[in-house]
Amino acid sequence: MKQRSSFTGSLGFVLAAAGSAVGLGNIWRFPYLAAKDGGGLFLVVYLILALTFGYTLLTTEIAIGRRTKESPLTAYKQLDKRFGWIGVLACLVPMIIMPYYCVIGGWVLKYFLVFLTGSGLEAAEDGYFTGFITAPVEPILATGVFLFLCAIIVLGGVDKGIERASRFIMPVLVVLVLAISIFSLTISHEDGGVSRTGLQGLAILFIPSFKGLTLGKFATVVLDAMGQLFFSLSIAMGIMVAYGSYVSDDADLGKSINQIEIFDTAIAILAGVMIIPAVYVFAGKEGLSASGPGLMFISLPKVFAQMGVMGRVVGTLFFAMVLFAALTSAVSVMEAVVSSFCDRFPIERKASALIETLIAAAFGVLVCLGYNKLYFELKLPNGTVGQILDIMDYISNYLFMPIVSIATCILVGHFVGTDYIAEEVTKNNSKFGRKGLYIVMIKYLAPILLCVLFLQSFKVF
Ligand code: PHE
């Protein structure tokens, strides 16, 4: 029997899990949704859902991991033989995500280097981003370097690799986010006789706006917040089961879960403080209509270019911060797969990590070629048009992840019973303060909400 690795203590676990949770989603989607969905209104809805819906799903996965001491691929089978297939899906999700997350990580790395080694002004030129991602070789190299960094950390082991990297990266990340946020609040700019300040931008994030709010629009706010939360807490990706399985039995699970949630939410809100005022000052409200790669690789470089000398400094720090955020998330995705292979097949951790690296490398190249030799446009069921990256993203995020989560709720709520989770959370006299809420959520509300989210991905309504 192989000896199971473990985190050295609660702090190591919390930092590693927070490292997974804090990722591109916090930075390129949360601020955009907050600006779009009524600022403070979105924040309140998000916080309520985090304390109920997010808390329930996160607790469930981490408790399953710690109780079974197994990786996602094999853990679900232990709960109930008929539900072993959830584990297969929960292992496929990170396998699908890993290659394209590395491709995006490669883009971040490239932008970091552009700002570090030059003025970064070229990144603000029209067509720069498209020119880069459609190039034949460079994106593949960047993907390779990013994947290599992940592989080194994962090969180092749970405590000496993942935990050690998180203990270094997460505090630095927090300092960077705080520094850029403070800077963002101090800027102001005059544009065609209109003067805008960072503080006015901050109002967009925090002051609730009920303008034109209808029931339908409110439903959109709730669904946006829920989808974001689901992704942001790294739920249904097998990650929290894998990380949970490395937590020692004497750790206070409830406390750690709260800390992970607080960390993730605080960084998401701070990302709003960092991005919304800066974009608003230099590009006005219209500038806030971009999210995802469009925001990060097109709008923000234009904002940095307008900051003069400070632009290069802020751009470098910003992309360093994003790189750190992406790296710890990618490491967690890789670990979910690596631990699954280790538990299921008679191979050592190192071999498992090498196999997963090769798989990610092969598919990563395919994703890169999707913007070049293998370019095509496919209309996806959610109405967007995409390439290979978007198809993989669609299959994992819109199809498999909701299925994993709905099935997990049904499994725990109606087959194995909520005591299975409660016993784990309350081990060593730890408190399970929201137990009543948890039971209602996992049995009824969470699966219903998740079904609505799932149907929305087909544009059913
Ligand atoms: N929580 C991550 C984020 O917000 C999501 C994620 C984690 C995606 C791990 C991929 C891998 O970006």
Side-chain angles (χ1 to χ4, degrees), residues 145-157 160-162 331 334 349 353 357:
V145 175
F146 186 85
L147 174 60
F148 179 72
L149 293 175
C150 293
I152 300 243
I153 296 176
V154 172
L155 274 168
K160 298 216 172 58
I162 299 175
V331 161
M334 190 164 186
R349 208 187 139 76
T357 305

Side-chain angles (χ1 to χ4, degrees), residues 395-442:
I395 295 174
S396 55
N397 289 308
Y398 291 86
L399 297 181
F400 287 0
M401 281 168 53
I403 295 175
V404 166
S405 230
I406 294 168
T408 306
C409 290
I410 295 173
L411 168 64
V412 171
H414 302 278
F415 285 84
V416 289
T418 49
D419 276 349
Y420 185 89
I421 302 294
E423 280 164 22
E424 192 55 37
V425 176
T426 52
K427 238 183 204 163
N428 310 311
N429 297 323
S430 301
K431 277 213 270 319
F432 193 1
R434 279 171 266 171
K435 186 172 171 191
L437 173 99
Y438 175 86
I439 294 175
V440 178
M441 282 305 296
I442 194 98

Side-chain angles (χ1 to χ4, degrees), residues 106 188-189 247 372:
S188 60
H189 180 65
V247 181
N372 182 284

Side-chain angles (χ1 to χ4, degrees), residues 105-187:
W107 299 347
V108 176
L109 182 64
K110 160 78 180 173
Y111 273 65
F112 168 64
L113 293 176
V114 166
F115 276 87
L116 183 72
T117 58
S119 65
L121 287 176
E122 68 266 42
E125 280 163 22
D126 286 334
Y128 181 83
F129 178 58
T130 314
F132 166 62
I133 64 169
T134 54
V137 184
E138 216 188 339
I140 297 181
L141 286 180
T143 304
V145 175
F146 186 85
L147 174 60
F148 179 72
L149 293 175
C150 293
I152 300 243
I153 296 176
V154 172
L155 274 168
V158 174
D159 49 351
K160 298 216 172 58
I162 299 175
E163 180 177 328
R164 197 154 67 169
S166 311
R167 276 179 187 265
F168 166 72
I169 288 179
M170 297 315 283
V172 178
L173 187 137
V174 171
V175 172
L176 287 174
V177 171
L178 284 174
I180 302 171
S181 301
I182 293 170
F183 175 75
S184 190
L185 290 178
T186 60
I187 48 182

Side-chain angles (χ1 to χ4, degrees), residues 20-26 97 101 231-234 237 239 329 332-333:
S20 171
V22 173
L24 294 168
N26 299 58
I97 292 180
Y101 212 76
F231 185 74
S232 193
L233 289 175
S234 304
M237 302 177 180
I239 294 170
S329 292
S332 70
V333 185

Side-chain angles (χ1 to χ4, degrees), residues 331-351:
V331 161
S332 70
V333 185
M334 190 164 186
E335 180 58 35
V337 183
V338 170
S339 67
S340 291
F341 288 173
C342 271
D343 284 353
R344 174 69 184 77
F345 306 106
I347 49 172
E348 288 303 321
R349 208 187 139 76
K350 286 211 161 57

